[in-house]
Amino acid sequence: MKSDLPKVLHTIGGRSLLGHAIAAARALDPLHLAVVVRHERDRVAAHIQEFEPSCVIADQDAIKGTGRAVECGLDALPPELAGTVVVTYGDVPLLSGHTLRELVRAHEDGGYAATVVTAYVDNRSVVGADASEAELAITEINSGIYAFDGVQLRAALGKVTTANSQGEKYITDVLAIEREAGLQVGAFVLADIWQCEGVNDKIQLARLGAELNRRTVEQVMRDGAIVIDPATTWIDAEVSVGTDTVIHPNSQLLGATTVGARATIGPDTTLRDMEVGDDAHLLRTHAVLSVVGPGASVGPWVHLRPGTEIAADAVVGSFVEMRRAQTEVGQHIGPLAVVTEDVLPSTTAGDRAPGQGSLS
């Protein structure tokens, strides 16, 4: 990634790559959810605890490889663990919880010892170091996402060695070991190849971020909102938008923002961790960690700093900055003002001069 930030902590859609992976796994309602860490262990572990405190954090030792990572993850869980074990990666942010549920269903219905998620591609630019010419010609790829029988997985991992060109314990060797033991291995073919695409550099990060946003914006429209220009609208994964709300071009709804019904957002508006009520209007507004009540009108060229609360039906005029201030219901704030929590003019439109109030 050419970054001081660990890869899995880079973000798309307002959530880290690892956060997306945990959210997908959490959709299975698992008895145990473990994340195996090594690189920048403390930073990654701190992020896990913030995002999902119930996660078990397992440390991978000096032995390399995906097989060893899975082994370390299992070692952090109860030794009597049985049932289905799902293995995913921390850098495949478009993998969905629905896909994982379908994987588990196919795995258990088929009675397989292991089920691997595969996908078909036209060509492969990245291949395993130990691949043969015949293997390079295969267009069905192993995504690296699996469902295993937990008991059989433990037994097979005990037989995996590092006897390969990379000196690693490969999880793929489990499949060969189980087949040799006469156990059944199934394939779950993934039609949506985006869901198994990983992030290895900032170009892929941007590419998957754009695809995630496209899907998020489309879902917002399916849920009843109106997006005038999806190409210039960015909506984070945790944002909620009400029915018949209109989002104009060059707008961003970020973080945990919630917007009610029939609101108007934009153009040229950025909202982060905002609460916007029904029928509110925000035009060319930058707002963070604030509340805009139902029917309120804000903008253009307004900056709402954290802690600001615009009451129902209030009006905030042009070129206003508000800092931890609260308006009254129906109150008008005229243009060219900086309004703080210390001084809030209790005026209506027309009875205060532009710029009157608390200015800085």
Side-chain angles (χ1 to χ4, degrees):
M1 296 296 287
K2 295 186 178 179
S3 173
D4 293 331
L5 187 67
K7 178 173 74 169
V8 295
L9 300 189
H10 282 78
T11 62
I12 62 172
R15 185 187 286 162
S16 70
L17 301 182
L18 183 55
H20 285 288
I22 292 173
R26 190 169 51 194
L28 289 171
D29 192 23
L31 291 176
H32 305 280
L33 179 54
V35 180
V36 182
V37 297
R38 181 167 171 82
H39 177 66
E40 292 276 6
R41 187 262 183 216
D42 291 343
R43 291 180 71 181
V44 175
H47 178 72
I48 294 168
Q49 288 298 302
E50 180 180 347
F51 186 83
E52 183 57 63
S54 65
C55 276
V56 174
I57 297 175
D59 290 283
Q60 185 168 359
D61 54 24
I63 301 174
K64 298 179 180 180
T66 51
R68 183 55 181 168
V70 173
E71 202 168 28
C72 291
L74 288 175
D75 287 345
L77 301 178
E80 68 277 8
L81 184 72
T84 300
V85 174
V86 174
V87 176
T88 69
Y89 288 103
D91 64 353
V92 284
L94 297 191
L95 179 65
S96 72
H98 172 75
T99 292
L100 291 181
R101 288 192 295 269
E102 289 297 300
L103 167 63
V104 170
R105 181 191 60 77
H107 171 74
E108 294 179 348
D109 288 351
Y112 299 118
T115 303
V116 54
V117 176
T118 69
Y120 285 94
V121 295
D122 293 331
N123 59 74
R124 293 192 289 168
S125 57
V126 180
V127 296
D130 297 298
S132 66
E133 288 298 323
E135 289 168 334
L136 295 179
I138 298 173
T139 58
E140 184 179 12
I141 63 167
N142 176 352
S143 72
I145 300 164
Y146 303 91
F148 293 102
D149 175 271
V151 174
Q152 298 291 347
L153 174 62
R154 280 189 188 275
L157 282 170
K159 301 175 183 178
V160 174
T161 73
T162 57
N164 53 68
S165 63
Q166 300 298 303
E168 300 183 6
K169 295 190 75 167
Y170 291 147
I171 189 64
T172 47
D173 287 348
V174 167
L175 307 182
I177 290 169
E178 292 187 335
R179 286 296 300 274
E180 290 171 2
L183 300 173
Q184 283 194 309
V185 175
F188 179 85
V189 180
L190 188 61
D192 180 11
I193 196 170
W194 283 99
Q195 291 196 48
C196 63
E197 183 164 340
V199 173
N200 292 299
D201 58 35
K202 290 173 180 172
I203 296 171
Q204 290 175 318
L205 183 73
R207 183 169 176 264
L208 267 68
E211 176 61 17
L212 175 61
N213 186 69
R214 184 190 68 79
R215 296 178 182 214
T216 302
V217 171
E218 286 190 0
Q219 187 60 53
V220 165
M221 291 189 286
R222 290 191 185 99
D223 291 340
I226 300 168
V227 179
I228 301 301
D229 184 13
T232 62
T233 301
W234 287 81
I235 302 177
D236 278 351
E238 296 183 11
V239 170
S240 171
V241 182
T243 303
D244 291 328
T245 284
V246 180
I247 303 173
H248 288 277
N250 299 312
S251 294
Q252 302 178 80
L253 306 184
L254 309 175
T257 293
T258 63
V259 181
R262 302 174 304 281
T264 302
I265 307 298
D268 308 315
T269 292
T270 298
L271 308 179
R272 182 181 294 277
D273 299 322
M274 288 289 298
E275 180 182 333
V276 179
D278 296 344
D279 302 297
H281 297 264
L282 290 88
L283 170 61
R284 293 187 170 88
T285 295
H286 186 94
V288 181
L289 281 169
S290 298
V291 176
V292 176
S297 179
V298 178
W301 315 120
V302 169
H303 188 180
L304 304 182
R305 293 185 179 272
T308 297
E309 296 185 17
I310 309 300
D313 300 317
V315 176
V316 179
S318 305
F319 299 100
V320 171
E321 179 177 336
M322 300 187 70
R323 304 172 181 170
R324 301 179 303 279
Q326 297 180 348
T327 73
E328 299 173 358
V329 173
Q331 183 176 8
H332 286 219
I333 304 297
L336 301 172
V338 176
V339 185
T340 72
E341 60 183 339
D342 300 319
V343 180
L344 183 63
S346 56
T347 59
T348 58
D351 62 7
R352 68 186 289 274
Q356 180 181 347
S358 174
L359 302 179
S360 60

